[in-house]
Amino acid sequence: MKKSIKAIFLFITVFALLPFVLSCKEKPDVKIKCFESNSVVITNNNTAVVIDASCSDLEDIQKFLESNNTEFISALIISCYTEDTLNAASSLSVSNDALNIYVPSQSFEGSAYNNFMDACDELSVEPCSVEGSVSFGAAELSVRVYAPLEDMSKSLITRIVCNKASMLFCSFADDERITEFVEYDTNNYDLIKLPVNSDDFDSVETLIDTAKPDIVIADPASKNNTALKRAEVYVSDKALSFKCNGKKISKE
C-alpha cells in the first residue's frame, strides 16, 4: 500500500514539474538576414539556408555567415536562373560546403550555368530540380520549396517553419505566380518577403488577406499599398535583420 502511495506521489510530482522542465528547454536561435539585392540567409545551429544569393551581396553574406559561426550551408536555393544567381551560387557553394542545392526545373544555358555545374561537381552535389514541391529539414527549420504548377520558367517560392513561426520568401515571383500560389496555399505566415517589383501586383492584397502576416518586407514602391497597412512593413532598400525564437519573429 505504501509503495502505491509513493508511486502516485512520484507521478503527481513529475506531472507538476513537466511544464517547468519544458519551459527550460533552450529556444531556437534563428537569424534572418534580407540583403538589399534580394539575397536571403537564415542561420540556425551553425548551419544556413541561402535563398537567391546575389554577387553584389557576397561579401556581406560571408561576413554574416562567419558572425553566426556557420560551418556549412544546409541548403542553397536558386529560385530563378540568372547569371547573377548562378555566379553567386558557384562562389558560395564551394567556399561554404553547400550540402544541398535546389534549382528550377527548366533548362538554362551559358557559361554561368556551366561554371555552376562545375562547382557542383567539385562538391559532389547533384542539384535537385524542383517539380511540384520538395521538403527537407535544416537544423531546427522545416523547409518547403514550391515550383510553379504551369509555367516552369516562373520563380520558386520557399516556405520555412520553425516550431510555431513561419516565413514565406516569394523571390522573383510575378503577379501570375503569386495568384497561382495563393490558390493552393492558405497558410498563415509571421513574415512574408514580397517579390521584387511587386508594387503594382493585384495578387499582393489576396496574399496578405490569406496569409495575415505580422511582418512584410516590401519594395520601396510598395510601402504605400493599402493591403500592407495590416502588417508591420519594412522596406528592402537596405539590409534587414530579424530573429526567431520558434514562437515569433521580431526585428533586430
Side-chain angles (χ1 to χ4, degrees):
M1 185 71 174
K2 289 183 178 179
K3 289 184 178 179
S4 299
I5 293 174
K6 286 182 178 179
I8 293 171
F9 178 76
L10 180 61
F11 175 79
I12 293 172
T13 302
V14 171
F15 187 79
L17 290 174
L18 185 59
F20 174 77
V21 173
L22 292 176
S23 67
C24 292
K25 184 180 179 181
E26 188 175 350
K27 295 178 180 179
D29 181 20
V30 179
K31 304 293 185 184
I32 307 145
K33 188 88 169 186
C34 300
F35 295 86
E36 188 175 349
S37 297
N38 204 47
S39 313
V40 174
V41 181
I42 303 102
T43 61
N44 175 228
N45 284 1
N46 306 115
T47 70
V49 174
V50 179
I51 305 172
D52 300 323
S54 171
C55 289
S56 60
D57 294 327
L58 279 179
E59 184 176 346
D60 290 331
I61 289 174
Q62 200 64 52
K63 289 179 181 178
F64 180 69
L65 293 173
E66 292 171 2
S67 68
N68 286 280
N69 301 313
T70 304
E71 297 174 0
F72 56 88
I73 293 175
S74 294
L76 178 62
I77 301 167
I78 299 177
S79 300
C80 187
Y81 280 137
T82 67
E83 288 193 5
D84 182 42
T85 57
L86 286 166
N87 288 332
S90 298
S91 177
L92 271 180
S93 60
V94 173
S95 58
N96 294 278
D97 296 326
L99 300 184
N100 300 283
I101 301 174
Y102 299 87
V103 299
S105 62
Q106 87 271 22
S107 60
F108 196 84
E109 296 180 354
S111 59
Y113 181 79
N114 295 335
N115 292 337
F116 167 70
M117 292 305 297
D118 288 342
C120 292
D121 288 341
E122 184 175 340
L123 290 166
S124 299
V125 172
E126 180 70 28
C128 174
S129 179
V130 180
E131 296 181 3
S133 67
V134 174
S135 299
F136 55 91
E140 296 169 288
L141 306 176
S142 296
V143 185
R144 190 170 195 129
V145 183
Y146 297 90
L149 297 179
E150 297 183 4
D151 187 348
M152 294 300 108
S153 68
K154 295 186 182 297
S155 177
L156 302 178
I157 292 176
T158 302
R159 176 177 188 249
I160 297 180
V161 177
C162 180
N163 290 356
K164 296 181 179 181
S166 58
M167 304 159 251
L168 187 70
F169 300 96
C170 298
S171 299
F172 301 98
D174 61 10
D175 198 7
E176 184 178 315
R177 174 75 177 103
I178 295 297
T179 298
E180 176 191 72
F181 181 78
V182 176
E183 285 180 359
Y184 64 80
D185 184 277
T186 58
N187 290 299
N188 291 345
Y189 292 95
D190 296 274
L191 180 148
I192 292 180
K193 187 176 187 300
L194 291 177
V196 292
N197 304 319
S198 61
D199 52 290
D200 61 348
F201 287 8
D202 294 332
S203 59
V204 167
E205 184 169 1
T206 305
L207 175 62
I208 299 302
D209 285 343
T210 302
K212 299 176 174 59
D214 296 320
I215 297 172
V216 172
I217 302 169
D219 276 356
S222 303
K223 66 180 180 180
N224 294 322
N225 188 317
T226 55
L228 302 187
K229 291 182 179 179
R230 285 160 251 170
E232 191 173 353
V233 180
Y234 294 94
V235 178
S236 58
D237 57 353
K238 59 183 178 181
L240 299 167
S241 298
F242 302 87
K243 60 183 178 180
C244 172
N245 63 7
K247 292 183 178 180
K248 67 176 183 178
I249 298 171
S250 55
K251 180 78 166 57
E252 281 199 310

